[in-house]
């Protein structure tokens, strides 16, 4: 049996909705910093599923907020 830490998944409050972040990021800290500016600290939940970041909050991210978050968080890699 798995420890409770791994079996209990924190659930967002009722009424919260999910927004999936468009780009793939390797550093959740940068996304978190951007979300703190948008929603405020501890006003959202961030998790990674299937290499995509999912934000649970009281409302969906609008297009302007998504663009700003992408600019703050996206890392461009050169070959």
């Amino acid at each position: 049996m798995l420890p409770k830490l791994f079996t209990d998944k924190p659930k967002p409050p009722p009424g919260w909705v999910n927004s999936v972040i468009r780009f793939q990021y390797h550093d959740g800290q940068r996304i978190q910093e951007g979300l703190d500016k948008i929603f405020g600290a501890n006003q959202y939940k961030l998790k990674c599923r299937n290499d995509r970041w999912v934000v649970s909050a009281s409302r969906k991210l609008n297009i302007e907020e998504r663009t700003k978050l992408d600019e703050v968080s996206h890392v461009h890699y050169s070959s």
Side-chain angles (χ1 to χ4, degrees):
M1 178 180 246
L2 291 172
K4 190 171 185 167
L5 174 66
F6 296 110
T7 57
D8 285 352
K9 295 180 183 176
K11 294 185 180 180
W16 277 23
V17 294
N18 292 335
S19 297
V20 179
I21 306 298
R22 188 176 74 181
F23 292 118
Q24 291 184 0
Y25 304 100
H26 299 289
D27 184 7
Q29 182 66 35
R30 293 178 78 181
I31 299 170
Q32 189 173 6
E33 290 169 6
L35 291 170
D36 283 350
K37 292 177 183 177
I38 294 170
F39 291 111
N42 301 318
Q43 299 300 310
Y44 62 89
K45 297 207 181 288
L46 179 65
K47 55 188 153 187
C48 186
R49 287 197 177 158
N50 299 325
D51 293 328
R52 296 285 184 194
W53 291 95
V54 179
V55 180
S56 297
S58 59
R59 61 177 177 79
K60 285 197 174 268
L61 290 165
N62 64 36
I63 293 171
E64 189 175 288
E65 291 167 335
R66 285 176 183 265
T67 301
K68 185 175 182 180
L69 187 61
D70 287 341
E71 290 170 359
V72 170
S73 304
H74 189 65
V75 177
H76 295 278
Y77 295 95
S78 57
S79 50

